[in-house]
Amino acid sequence: MQRGLVSAGNAFRLCLALKAEPASQKLSTLLHDWGRQATERSVGRVLATSELLLPELHSDGGLERLLLAAQKAGFGRLHFLLILRAPVEQLLSLYKHRAKRGTAGEIAEWCASGYRLPHELAGFRRQAEALGIDLTVRGYSREKGALERRFFVDWLGVPVPDVAVPARVNPSLTLSELALVRQMAAVRPELVEPLYEAMSAVDPGEKVQGQALSHYARAVATQVVAEHAAEWEEWNHLLPADERLPIPEAPADLPPRPDELGFSEVQMQALADFMARTATSGFVAETAWKSRIRPRLGRVKRAILRPD
């Protein structure tokens, strides 16, 4: 998480099991194992959390498959909690994380091919209604302690644990920095990760967001979100009144995509430091190891260990 990766939570293995063919025993084996561990530890509830679960549960039959497998593994009733963020803000945030590898394209391109949240929510909602699952829907909040209270106190019915967490767990770059990463990916893909790390190390308060690019990206996001207004309204019926999602109207027209980028002096210094570092022998050797030598050794190892 601290490297900017979207957290898979503790249910990554569950996501993989759901992705496997229905005839596979992976889902059954995993749930039976969880049930056994819970019994051994005298635990009454098993919590599985992941942002990756929705894409696996939205397709027809995905949710029912999980429910049936859980029942066969000895679990009682399943309870679901879904946290929803304001759609425009969520789209912009998701794009920033998807674009950090430099391969997502600019935001309009990504929205056309990579933004699937309304479709996934609709598929999950229809199954949830048909199956009558126990579903709690709450709104995302930046207020300090709000998410903890909604998760632990309101949903689980336990006090919020006294655990220190990092103030920033999912650093993202500005749209201008992401444009730079995208250009780097086209010419020197092996430099994308170190460039991302160099720019994410800059304090957000020292960055320039770039007004023109931010205005354009928000207009694109607003237009795309507005196209799914009916789905957002369905979810508003399930949210508490004071947590309902803002559903925007589509802009009359989109502004042209700006050509200029915005960088503060601190960002420019970080970029200059990065460029200077790329010329050092140590950096060159490390990059060669990560991008060329280690992958080749991995392929050789897999070829050697592959059964005939």
Side-chain angles (χ1 to χ4, degrees):
M1 290 174 65
Q2 296 184 42
R3 294 182 59 198
L5 303 173
V6 175
S7 172
N10 72 333
F12 184 62
R13 290 174 60 204
L14 177 59
C15 296
L16 293 178
L18 287 165
K19 190 187 293 289
E21 291 295 327
S24 167
Q25 293 299 309
K26 290 182 178 180
L27 181 59
S28 175
T29 300
L30 176 64
L31 293 175
H32 275 88
D33 184 51
W34 282 0
R36 177 186 56 77
Q37 292 183 52
T39 300
E40 291 175 352
R41 301 176 185 182
S42 299
V43 172
R45 289 181 289 184
V46 175
L47 175 66
T49 173
S50 176
E51 293 183 348
L52 301 176
L53 275 172
L54 182 61
E56 303 305 329
L57 292 176
H58 87 279
S59 59
D60 289 342
L63 184 55
E64 184 176 19
R65 182 184 170 209
L66 174 61
L67 294 176
L68 291 175
Q71 291 171 1
K72 290 180 179 179
F75 288 92
R77 189 170 179 82
L78 269 65
H79 304 264
F80 294 82
L81 171 67
L82 180 65
I83 301 292
L84 291 177
R85 186 174 180 179
V88 171
E89 310 304 324
Q90 191 276 338
L91 187 155
L92 291 170
S93 176
L94 183 61
Y95 170 71
K96 288 182 177 181
H97 288 294
R98 294 293 185 266
K100 68 186 180 214
R101 302 296 183 192
T103 57
E106 64 96 20
I107 188 167
E109 296 171 338
W110 175 79
C111 285
S113 60
Y115 180 62
R116 295 181 49 79
L117 180 61
H119 171 70
E120 292 171 350
L121 284 172
F124 179 78
R125 176 180 56 79
R126 287 192 290 266
Q127 291 182 84
E129 292 171 351
L131 295 169
I133 68 168
D134 188 331
L135 173 63
T136 299
V137 186
R138 299 297 302 270
Y140 175 87
S141 174
R142 286 184 175 274
E143 178 187 341
K144 185 177 181 180
L147 289 179
E148 289 88 338
R149 289 192 299 273
R150 291 172 189 180
F151 181 72
F152 290 105
V153 179
D154 298 346
W155 191 58
L156 290 179
V158 299
V160 176
D162 185 16
V163 178
V165 296
R168 188 168 59 120
V169 296
N170 257 342
S172 61
L173 303 188
T174 68
L175 293 166
S176 293
E177 290 171 332
L178 289 172
L180 181 62
V181 169
R182 187 168 64 249
Q183 294 174 5
M184 183 65 76
V187 293
R188 294 287 301 277
E190 72 274 12
L191 297 184
V192 165
E193 184 175 348
L195 174 59
Y196 171 84
E197 293 175 349
M199 302 311 294
S200 63
V202 178
D203 189 311
E206 300 286 351
K207 295 185 177 185
V208 170
Q209 294 298 323
Q211 292 300 317
L213 197 53
S214 294
H215 178 65
Y216 166 75
R218 181 165 289 276
V220 171
T222 300
Q223 182 182 62
V224 173
V225 166
E227 293 173 355
H228 303 279
E231 184 60 32
W232 303 123
E233 192 59 51
E234 291 287 348
W235 286 100
N236 272 344
H237 295 322
L238 301 174
L239 280 160
D242 60 344
E243 297 176 18
R244 288 177 179 167
L245 307 172
I247 306 174
E249 295 184 1
D253 48 21
L254 290 177
R257 184 163 66 93
D259 295 326
E260 68 271 16
L261 304 179
F263 294 95
S264 69
E265 186 172 346
V266 176
Q267 287 170 287
M268 293 298 293
Q269 184 60 56
L271 182 57
D273 293 342
F274 166 76
M275 294 172 64
R277 189 161 62 91
T278 62
T280 64
S281 58
F283 182 90
V284 172
E286 180 182 0
T287 303
W289 165 254
K290 289 182 177 180
S291 64
R292 295 194 295 273
I293 301 174
R294 186 168 63 183
R296 290 176 182 174
L297 290 175
R299 288 193 293 270
V300 171
K301 178 181 178 180
R302 288 191 295 273
I304 293 174
L305 297 178
R306 186 181 298 123
D308 295 334

